[in-house]
């Protein structure tokens, strides 16, 4: 004769637990609601701009896609150049803080790098105009004179130094603390057994970093770079202040004719926009929203690939 066990009584949930659970669920849901509301607003307001003509929007010379293409190109090009500068520098700074610097130096240096993220973008813009651009203009002239045969350094030289490359340098400084902070935390999570095993086999400090630290943090470096790219794609004021844009599509880095970016174009054009021009600018914002959302989605996917990794496997 078999007997069935009595069902276990459920532990009553405290009022504080129910309240906290409900607030957490509400907060998480509001993020999705806000994102959906922004997406619906952009789509609804962008439809007249995407289908606009020169008769309905004075910003358009032919159609919307001819208008947005140079802006999208400039946004991606400037962000790519910034990433090309910032990623190696960020990895080097993160490795120095996590594995080379003495503890008394590493902690203050980490604080200083993190504080760069708190500097307003308008300050970076002023620094780019008043300090960086005049300082690099003679270097640009030398590059055009001596390396002008290379397509990226083809002339003529900008007389002000306010080029796409200067804007990329400013963006690189702005995204450096984001990439450095993430890389530093990932490098510090490298299993100690892996590092000690490499050193026990006779590896030097650099060989240990190359064989144990960098492979462990590879996906983290990629995800940090993607997050930095998302930050660079959306930067507005610094680029609008530094870049002397003419709306062309060009890979040349040192000339006075430079492509603009979507955020900078919206910031400079929106105050005087009216009628259909507003819808055109919102439509360009929708393109930027899609690109930024895709970049962050790829970064999350890369991070999720490493969630099962541990020091034991």
């Amino acid at each position: 004769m078999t007997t069935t066990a009595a069902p276990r009584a459920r532990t009553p949930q405290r009022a504080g637990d129910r309240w906290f659970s409900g607030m957490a669920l509400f907060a998480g849901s509001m993020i999705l609601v806000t994102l959906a509301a922004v997406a619906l607003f952009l789509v609804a307001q962008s439809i007249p701009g995407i289908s606009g003509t020169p008769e309905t929007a004075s910003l358009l010379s032919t159609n919307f896609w001819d208008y947005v293409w140079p802006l999208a190109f400039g946004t991606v090009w400037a962000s790519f150049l910034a990433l090309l500068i910032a990623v190696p520098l960020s990895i080097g700074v993160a490795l120095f803080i996590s594995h080379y610097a003495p503890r008394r130096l590493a902690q203050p240096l980490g604080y200083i790098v993190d504080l760069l993220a708190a500097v307003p973008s308008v300050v970076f813009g002023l620094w780019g105009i008043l300090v960086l651009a005049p300082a690099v203009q003679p270097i640009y002239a030398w590059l055009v004179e001596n390396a002008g045969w290379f397509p990226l350094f083809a002339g003529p030289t900008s007389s002000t130094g306010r080029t796409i490359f200067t804007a990329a340098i400013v963006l690189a400084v702005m995204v450096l603390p984001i990439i450095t902070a993430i890389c530093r935390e990932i490098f510090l999570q490298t299993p100690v057994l892996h590092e000690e095993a490499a050193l026990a086999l006779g590896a030097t400090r650099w060989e240990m970093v190359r064989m144990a630290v960098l492979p462990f943090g590879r996906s983290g470096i990629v995800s940090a770079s993607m997050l930095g790219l998302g930050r660079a794609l959306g930067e507005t004021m610094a680029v609008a202040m530094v870049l002397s844009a003419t709306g062309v599509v060009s890979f040349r880095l040192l000339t006075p004719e430079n492509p603009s970016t979507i955020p900078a174009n919206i910031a400079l054009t929106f105050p005087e926009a009216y009628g259909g021009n507003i819808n055109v600018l919102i439509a360009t914002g929708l393109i930027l929203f899609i690109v930024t959302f895709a970049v962050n989605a790829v970064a999350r996917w890369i991070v999720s690939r490493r969630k099962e990794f541990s020091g034991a496997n």
Side-chain angles (χ1 to χ4, degrees):
M1 181 177 178
T2 58
T3 58
T4 59
R8 181 179 300 177
R10 297 182 60 184
T11 303
Q13 194 176 32
R14 297 180 180 180
D17 293 336
R18 291 196 301 269
W19 180 85
F20 181 79
S21 177
M23 291 298 296
L25 177 62
F26 174 77
S29 302
M30 284 304 298
I31 295 176
L32 299 177
V33 171
T34 303
L35 183 62
V38 171
L40 289 175
F41 166 78
L42 290 175
V43 171
Q45 295 293 323
S46 297
I47 293 176
I50 294 175
S51 59
T53 61
E55 289 75 20
T56 59
S58 59
L59 289 175
L60 302 178
S61 57
T62 53
N63 57 58
F64 170 76
W65 301 109
D66 289 340
Y67 175 78
V68 76
W69 160 239
L71 301 175
F73 168 80
T75 303
V76 175
W77 182 230
S79 302
F80 172 77
L81 292 173
L83 219 62
L84 203 63
I85 299 171
V87 170
L89 184 60
S90 299
I91 294 174
V93 173
L95 285 174
F96 177 75
I97 294 175
S98 60
H99 286 81
Y100 286 90
R103 184 180 297 272
R104 292 182 179 179
L105 177 61
Q107 191 171 10
L109 183 59
Y111 289 153
I112 293 173
V113 173
D114 292 340
L115 283 175
L116 283 175
V119 178
S121 59
V122 66
V123 175
F124 283 110
L126 291 173
W127 171 73
I129 292 177
L130 301 177
V131 178
L132 181 62
V136 297
Q137 199 280 331
I139 301 176
Y140 292 168
W142 183 88
L143 284 173
V144 171
E145 182 179 354
N146 296 275
W149 53 268
F150 190 63
L152 295 180
F153 300 145
T157 311
S158 171
S159 60
T160 62
R162 297 173 58 185
T163 68
I164 191 72
F165 192 63
T166 305
I169 296 175
V170 174
L171 287 177
V173 175
M174 296 180 70
V175 304
L176 185 142
I178 299 175
I179 304 176
T180 301
I182 297 176
C183 291
R184 182 183 69 232
E185 295 303 320
I186 291 173
F187 294 157
L188 289 174
Q189 294 175 11
T190 305
V192 179
L193 291 177
H194 293 186
E195 298 180 358
E196 293 179 347
L199 294 173
L201 291 174
T204 62
R205 180 69 65 88
W206 163 242
E207 290 173 338
M208 179 272 293
V209 169
R210 183 169 54 87
M211 293 187 297
V213 178
L214 292 180
F216 176 83
R218 185 181 297 116
S219 64
I221 295 172
V222 175
S223 61
S225 303
M226 298 295 279
L227 293 175
L229 176 60
R231 172 73 173 86
L233 288 171
E235 178 51 42
T236 302
M237 287 308 302
V239 177
M241 296 172 66
V242 172
L243 184 61
S244 178
T246 56
V248 300
V249 177
S250 174
F251 286 97
R252 293 181 297 176
L253 303 178
L254 313 177
T255 66
E257 296 183 349
N258 302 282
S260 184
T261 66
I262 292 177
N265 180 70
I266 293 176
L268 295 175
T269 310
F270 196 86
E272 300 179 358
Y274 60 91
N277 291 334
I278 297 179
N279 298 105
V280 171
L281 294 177
I282 295 176
T284 60
L286 176 63
I287 301 298
L288 180 63
F289 177 82
I290 294 173
V291 173
T292 307
F293 187 83
V295 167
N296 284 276
V298 172
R300 294 300 306 170
W301 174 75
I302 294 174
V303 171
S304 66
R305 293 181 58 191
R306 297 283 291 186
K307 65 182 180 181
E308 300 296 334
F309 185 88
S310 68
N313 56 13

